[in-house]
């Protein structure tokens, strides 16, 4: 007992945090090298370049009464209120660190600083992206007014970060959600008035926000101890989200696979598969695509985002290029299906050759890419661009055939 008390007394949470952060950064860096490979960098560069060109064209034709203040206020308010605290806690900490709770002040202080720093880049990117819209709407204003808006945004961001940290001590989920909702709305309103230049109304709303901020602080003081379960749950949830994304580019051994039943959808996609040994992998890959936590959602998100780009971009050739680009992204991500069951030793008992497994993944990739080609082509029908329909359908199918037969088969060899 004396030895344990001595170790607790000598515990340095600041030094412990530095070690935890160093290990965390090394791990993230290892996976980011896979994510930001040559293919992804090219895609991101093309997306940003295209969006920048059309963004500039839209600004030259901006309507006189365009709701710039409302749009910027909402976006600034959302990014200010979304202020999660990355504690870097792990499940074993619930046993080993809880005894040193009163020594963790430096650790959690460092967590707040780290959380603000890693979220700062998103604020700067958003401010840079919305700057041209602001100056196109308010050409008579100086740059100092926009800088003032960014300064207010940073202050509100810091306040929300502290408020979120205090509310993590509250165990009632409904109270936390209500507090987050009210702070989000107040953040939007404050920044909306600042962008408009109505500093009086911005000041009045700020007073209300400060009162809520002080109430959160007072209310958190009444809570007893640190809510370790919630801190670990939230941090692990965010880390698993990153692992699921990184798993599309490299094997992630730390990933916890989530499975959802979705029985009606499983019945739908497996209905036409003959009950034969040779179709075992066809069945396996289809239910994996439907029931696993990452593939189905990613596939439909790319379809929706790609469809929005195709609908909004005016140039027909850029539309077609974007349809092919999103087919490429989707097919590239779905390749991870092949390695999804790599740790399942029971697959080695299948009386099937490895070539049948490769044939099955090729087949489902063809099916998914062809469906995506058709859906993107139908967007051209909606906007009554029949030439674009033919180009998108033909281009998407041809690209799928070339990409799968060339790149994908070479990767699976």
């Amino acid at each position: 007992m004396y030895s344990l008390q001595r170790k607790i007394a000598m515990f340095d949470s600041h030094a412990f945090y530095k070690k935890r952060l160093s290990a965390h950064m090394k791990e993230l860096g290892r996976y980011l090298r896979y994510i930001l490979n040559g293919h992804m960098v090219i895609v991101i560069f093309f997306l940003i370049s295209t969006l920048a060109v059309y963004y500039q064209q839209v600004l030259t034709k901006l309507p006189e009464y365009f709701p710039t203040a409302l749009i910027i206020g909402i976006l600034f308010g959302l990014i200010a209120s979304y202020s999660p605290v990355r504690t870097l806690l792990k499940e074993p900490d619930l046993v080993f660190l809880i005894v040193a709770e009163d020594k963790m002040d430096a650790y959690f202080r460092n967590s707040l600083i780290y959380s603000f720093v890693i979220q700062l880049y998103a604020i700067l990117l958003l401010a840079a992206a919305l700057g041209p819209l602001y100056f196109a709407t308010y050409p008579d204003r100086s740059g100092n007014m926009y800088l003032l808006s960014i300064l207010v945004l940073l202050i509100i961001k810091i306040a929300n970060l502290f408020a979120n940290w205090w509310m993590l001590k509250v165990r009632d989920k409904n109270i936390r959600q209500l507090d987050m909702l009210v702070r989000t709305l107040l953040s939007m309103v404050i920044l909306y008035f600042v962008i408009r230049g109505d500093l009086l109304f911005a000041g009045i709303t700020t007073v209300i926000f400060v009162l809520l901020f002080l109430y959160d602080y007072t209310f958190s003081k009444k809570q007893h101890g640190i809510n370790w379960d919630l801190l670990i749950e939230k941090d692990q949830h965010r880390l698993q989200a990153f692992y699921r994304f990184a798993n599309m580019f490299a094997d992630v051994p730390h990933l916890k696979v989530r499975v959802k039943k979705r029985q009606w959808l499983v019945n739908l996609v497996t209905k036409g598969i003959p009950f034969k040994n040779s179709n075992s992998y066809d069945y396996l890959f289809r239910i994996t695509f439907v029931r696993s936590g990452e593939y189905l959602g990613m596939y439909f998100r790319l379809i929706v985002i790609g469809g929005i780009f195709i609908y909004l971009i005016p140039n027909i050739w850029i539309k077609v290029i974007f349809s092919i680009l999103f087919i490429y992204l989707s097919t590239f991500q779905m390749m991870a299906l092949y390695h999804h069951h790599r740790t399942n030793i029971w697959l080695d008992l299948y009386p099937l050759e490895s070539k049948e497994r490769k044939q099955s993944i090729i087949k489902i990739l063809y099916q998914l890419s062809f469906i995506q080609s058709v859906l993107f082509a139908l967007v051209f029908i909606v906007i009554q661009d029949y030439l674009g329909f033919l180009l998108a359908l033909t281009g998407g199918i041809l690209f799928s055939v070339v990409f799968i037969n060339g790149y994908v088969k070479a990767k699976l060899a």
Side-chain angles (χ1 to χ4, degrees), residues 247 250-253 336 338-345 347 357:
N247 191 57
D251 292 341
V252 181
Y338 184 72
H339 300 288
H340 185 86
H341 298 283
R342 63 192 178 280
T343 59
N344 189 347
I345 62 174
L347 294 188
R357 182 181 181 185

Side-chain angles (χ1 to χ4, degrees), residues 314-331:
N315 187 283
I316 182 175
W317 296 106
I318 301 298
K319 288 176 183 285
V320 174
I321 291 174
F322 263 87
S323 67
I324 294 175
L325 178 64
F326 277 90
I327 292 170
Y328 157 74
L329 285 174
S330 180
T331 307

Side-chain angles (χ1 to χ4, degrees), residues 85-286:
V85 180
R86 292 300 310 271
T87 60
L88 307 183
L89 292 175
K90 300 180 179 181
E91 292 178 353
D93 295 338
L94 189 60
V95 176
F96 296 105
L97 287 185
I98 196 170
V99 294
E101 183 173 320
D102 58 341
K103 298 282 186 178
M104 292 292 289
D105 290 345
Y107 184 97
F108 291 128
R109 182 189 65 239
N110 293 335
S111 297
L112 288 169
I113 295 172
Y114 171 69
S115 300
F116 177 73
V117 170
I118 63 172
Q119 295 169 41
L120 189 60
Y121 78 96
I123 294 177
L124 298 178
L125 286 176
L126 182 63
L130 295 176
L133 175 62
Y134 177 86
F135 291 111
T137 307
Y138 308 109
D140 54 331
R141 293 186 185 178
S142 66
N144 292 333
M145 284 298 297
Y146 192 60
L147 290 177
L148 174 63
S149 304
I150 298 174
L151 178 61
V152 173
L153 169 60
L154 292 174
I155 294 172
I156 295 176
K157 177 73 173 180
I158 294 172
N160 275 293
L161 186 65
F162 277 102
N164 280 342
W165 170 244
W166 295 331
M167 293 306 293
L168 285 172
K169 297 180 181 180
V170 179
R171 298 185 179 275
D172 192 327
K173 184 179 180 180
N174 294 327
I175 294 177
R176 295 198 308 269
Q177 289 179 340
L178 179 61
D179 178 79
M180 171 65 79
L181 176 61
V182 175
R183 279 191 288 109
T184 301
L185 294 175
L186 287 173
S187 300
M188 290 179 181
V189 174
I190 292 171
L191 290 160
Y192 166 72
F193 285 131
V194 171
I195 295 296
R196 280 193 58 183
D198 296 333
L199 299 183
L200 175 62
F201 290 105
I204 295 172
T205 315
T206 302
V207 171
I208 301 174
F209 182 87
V210 170
L211 292 175
L212 178 60
F213 179 79
L214 295 174
Y215 173 79
D216 287 346
Y217 175 74
T218 305
F219 187 72
S220 68
K221 286 295 184 181
K222 298 178 182 179
Q223 310 302 312
H224 300 288
I226 296 173
N227 194 350
W228 289 90
D229 292 337
L230 182 62
L231 293 180
I232 294 173
E233 176 189 341
K234 286 187 171 295
D235 214 75
Q236 290 301 307
H237 178 76
R238 283 187 287 269
L239 191 59
Q240 287 297 315
F242 173 78
Y243 284 154
R244 284 194 294 273
F245 180 68
N247 191 57
M248 298 173 184
F249 304 89
D251 292 341
V252 181
H254 310 292
L255 180 64
K256 295 180 180 178
V257 179
R258 296 183 306 162
V259 179
K260 299 183 179 180
K261 192 173 182 180
R262 294 171 177 161
Q263 191 59 49
W264 67 273
L265 196 53
V266 170
N267 294 336
L268 179 65
V269 300
T270 59
K271 187 176 181 181
I273 300 179
F275 192 73
K276 298 179 180 178
N277 286 347
S278 58
N279 298 114
S280 299
Y281 280 116
D282 291 344
Y283 182 85
L284 177 66
F285 285 135
R286 287 196 183 192

